[in-house]
Amino acid sequence: MAFLSDAMSRIQSSATVAINSKAAEMKRAGQDVISLAAGEPDFDTPQNVRDAAIKAMSEGKTRYTAVDGIPELKEAVAAKFNRDNHLGVTASDCFVAAGGKQIIFNALVATLNPGDDVVIPVPYWVSYPEIARLCDANPVFAVADASTGFKLKPEVLDAAITPKTKWLILNTPSNPTGAAYSNDELRGLADVLLKHPQVHILTDDIYEVLVYDGGRFATIAEVEPKLRERTLTMNGVSKSHAMTGWRIGYCTGPKPLLGAMLNLQSQSTTNPSSIAQWAAVEALNGPQGFLKEWRQIFQGRRDLVVKGLNANTGLDCLTPEGAFYVFPSVKNLLGKTSGSGVALKTDEDVVMALLAETGVALVHGTAFGLPGHMRLSYAAATSQLEDAVSRIQDFCAKVR
Ligand code: PLP
């Protein structure tokens, strides 16, 4: 009898392991590596948020809390959803977990049966299909490639839905492409979803605050209130307040779903860290002025990177609306040979050769379900980005 469960054979470890271990090995050997493979802001958590955590510790707020979050945080979450997204919710419609990822995990494990379908636009954030597979459900991949600005088109969504579709997962702005849906684009998807009442929508809005060029963030339950009763709107402080290590995510959604998620979480991690919850109260209720500055910095970096990647490299990089990723096509490099003689057959060959020959670590598109691309995270200092872009340009210039 096998010791490990069947579920473990259905999921893969992170596809970025090879690239990260190679980068770490090169660093240990004293080589000059620039890693643009990470998915977290390079800023520090704002001081007022750190102070709130210290205060919570000093005041002894260090015990178990309610499973789905302290009332003060659920109030702050409801106020955020009402202020920014006009969702008209109360604290009792809100739920807190140890990161946005635990919200997604709870929701899928609480609802999926073997054989259920989950529609996932491609390219996707790596955890969506893996969690669906853990539940023995089928990820149904709906193409949202560069030809549509990496956005799901209504007709493609319609064709992907089956009677067994339980969820559609949306992520805007997107990891790995940075694409962000406009109000009108979500309207088109909402019209399709109104025809399919069996489909619930999980929208991962974790990059909400990072929309550039003055664009306005939109989320589907705001665009079509009739979908609210079957939408789980997920968000968190990881990216908005540079709090990836604190592990606080939150959501609002239908009460029966939140009740099931509460049962599940009560049998796994119980509550998220009490101290991190008090920090998150300050993050959501405190001043948000710093975000304007962060957005300006990220937008400047995005522009630098897109311009550099498109400058006679053979790469083809769209200008994304949000998040801190670009997802250029490497198709023009495939079938050729790198400067040091490596055959570039796949996008993984490209990122491995790029790392070996220039020290720049990126992630290949296949890891996100779309071969022929690579993901660059521009959550790094501008000087590092300039250096990385010029190394990428050198690498491309030597490809024959
Ligand atoms: N959703 C997306 C699209 C992400 O990129 C990430 C983190 O990289 C998460 C969710 C996870 O967020 P958290 O750190 O709050 O679990």
Side-chain angles (χ1 to χ4, degrees):
M1 189 172 64
F3 177 52
L4 297 182
S5 68
D6 294 347
M8 293 315 295
S9 68
R10 292 193 295 268
I11 64 170
Q12 293 170 359
S13 66
S14 167
T16 57
V17 170
I19 198 99
N20 283 322
S21 47
K22 170 107 182 142
E25 187 191 306
M26 287 172 63
K27 261 191 197 155
R28 270 196 307 276
Q31 291 185 48
D32 174 17
V33 172
I34 307 178
S35 181
L36 304 179
E40 58 184 346
D42 54 318
F43 302 121
D44 285 330
T45 305
Q47 191 61 49
N48 61 314
V49 175
R50 287 187 267 166
D51 290 343
I54 293 167
K55 182 160 175 282
M57 273 192 282
S58 308
E59 290 176 355
K61 289 172 172 156
T62 52
R63 300 184 183 279
Y64 291 129
T65 72
V67 168
D68 59 347
I70 53 176
E72 290 83 352
L73 182 51
K74 289 172 64 180
E75 288 291 348
V77 167
K80 180 259 170 276
F81 279 132
N82 294 336
R83 178 179 68 231
D84 300 340
N85 313 114
H86 312 104
L87 294 184
V89 297
T90 65
S92 66
D93 302 308
C94 298
F95 184 102
V96 182
K101 190 185 260 180
Q102 194 182 20
I103 301 274
I104 301 169
F105 189 90
N106 283 340
L108 296 185
V109 172
T111 54
L112 289 175
N113 287 315
D116 286 343
D117 285 344
V118 180
V119 175
I120 301 175
V122 174
Y124 46 72
W125 182 51
V126 289
S127 293
Y128 307 141
E130 296 305 329
I131 300 172
R133 286 191 186 107
L134 192 68
C135 302
D136 213 0
N138 307 315
V140 174
F141 297 118
V143 175
D145 62 15
S147 68
T148 58
F150 298 115
K151 290 177 196 172
L152 182 62
K153 287 279 156 199
E155 56 278 15
V156 178
L157 171 62
D158 206 15
I161 291 173
T162 71
K164 288 195 293 178
T165 304
K166 208 166 238 176
W167 286 103
L168 160 68
I169 303 185
L170 288 175
N171 172 214
T172 178
S174 148
N175 177 2
T177 67
Y181 290 85
S182 67
N183 203 87
D184 287 352
E185 286 161 342
L186 289 177
R187 175 76 261 155
L189 297 179
D191 288 340
V192 172
L193 291 161
L194 287 172
K195 295 193 302 180
H196 300 281
Q198 81 280 21
V199 182
H200 285 67
I201 304 103
L202 196 171
T203 177
D204 177 344
D205 296 354
I206 200 123
Y207 294 98
E208 163 172 10
V209 300
L210 299 178
V211 176
Y212 309 122
D213 306 315
R216 189 184 173 277
F217 171 81
T219 192
I220 197 149
E222 177 189 25
V223 171
E224 179 45 88
K226 287 200 200 99
L227 290 175
R228 278 186 202 168
E229 61 188 23
R230 49 189 171 109
T231 298
L232 187 70
T233 305
M234 182 224 113
N235 212 316
V237 291
S238 292
K239 320 284 173 168
S240 62
H241 293 74
M243 291 175 71
T244 46
W246 299 72
R247 311 309 302 130
I248 296 290
Y250 56 81
C251 66
T252 184
K255 283 210 171 74
L257 172 62
L258 298 188
M261 290 168 60
L262 189 143
N263 279 346
L264 184 64
Q265 188 162 296
S266 77
Q267 300 300 358
S268 58
T269 55
T270 313
N271 56 279
S273 151
S274 58
I275 299 156
Q277 288 189 65
W278 283 104
V281 171
E282 175 62 19
L284 293 180
N285 289 345
Q288 309 293 318
F290 67 96
L291 282 173
K292 194 171 167 213
E293 192 191 326
W294 285 11
R295 255 195 303 270
Q296 270 169 359
I297 294 171
F298 276 131
Q299 183 175 320
R301 293 173 177 175
R302 176 201 65 175
D303 293 342
L304 179 167
V305 167
V306 171
K307 191 164 168 230
L309 293 183
N310 282 327
N312 272 327
T313 52
L315 303 171
D316 190 3
C317 185
L318 298 184
T319 302
E321 295 92 347
F324 40 66
Y325 308 104
V326 292
F327 199 66
S329 164
V330 299
K331 283 178 192 147
N332 290 332
L333 307 184
L334 299 183
K336 298 184 179 160
T337 307
S338 78
S340 73
V342 173
L344 303 175
K345 290 198 264 320
T346 66
D347 53 3
E348 187 163 11
D349 295 337
V350 174
V351 295
M352 292 312 275
L354 183 70
L355 177 59
E357 292 170 31
T358 71
V360 176
L362 307 182
V363 184
H364 51 300
T366 303
F368 309 98
L370 195 66
H373 294 77
M374 57 189 185
R375 186 193 75 174
L376 179 154
S377 161
Y378 54 83
T382 305
S383 57
Q384 278 202 320
L385 293 170
E386 282 166 348
D387 189 357
V389 164
S390 100
R391 295 189 201 188
I392 295 169
Q393 288 172 342
D394 281 352
F395 174 87
C396 293
K398 290 182 188 143
V399 169
R400 291 282 171 273

